[in-house]
């Protein structure tokens, strides 16, 4: 099967990471080969993310098209 | 099969809609029962979207958790 490429870039925010990965895990594995990249750890991938048009994280790049995702950590999660 | 609920809310922006729906169509149909709602046409659904925490569109609600998506129309698309 010829799957497209999906890359989920994040920066490891401890409050948001679980919810953010919910998006990455919702992507259809039959359609997309999904890779999750922690840009805080994999700084060598930052240039690649920028080249895809990623301006902020978390972002999901589908077939080279960047989608910036705002989750917005709830105040409750910080208490 | 017990699928979760995913709702993609948008407002029909002609430049962005194709790219936005790319996200909705990337969602795994085995995991999620995906519904696409045009809030400009289905104003009766606005209250429901707000109740899910949707602050802006496009937004994808997975299992009741809202994710706000910023695509950002490319200047090229407007020429």
């Amino acid at each position: 099967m010829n799957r497209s490429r999906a890359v989920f870039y994040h920066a490891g925010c401890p409050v948001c990471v679980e919810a953010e990965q919910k998006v990455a895990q919702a992507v259809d594995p039959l359609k997309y080969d999904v890779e999750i990249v922690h840009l805080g750890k994999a700084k060598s991938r930052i240039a690649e993310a920028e080249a895809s048009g990623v301006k902020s994280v978390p972002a999901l790049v589908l077939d080279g098209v960047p989608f910036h995702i705002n989750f917005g950590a709830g105040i409750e999660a910080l208490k």
Side-chain angles (χ1 to χ4, degrees), chain A residues 8-63:
Chain A
F8 182 79
Y9 295 102
H10 70 104
C13 155
V15 173
C16 303
V17 78
E18 184 183 344
E20 293 165 5
Q21 291 191 349
K22 193 175 186 68
V23 173
Q25 289 168 0
V27 172
D28 187 348
L30 295 180
K31 290 182 188 159
Y32 289 94
D33 182 12
V34 183
E35 183 184 14
I36 297 178
V37 176
H38 186 323
L39 285 180
K41 292 180 179 171
K43 292 185 187 297
S44 63
R45 304 288 298 272
I46 291 176
E48 162 205 298
E50 285 183 327
S52 295
V54 172
K55 306 289 188 194
S56 62
V57 289
L60 179 65
V61 176
L62 296 173
D63 288 324

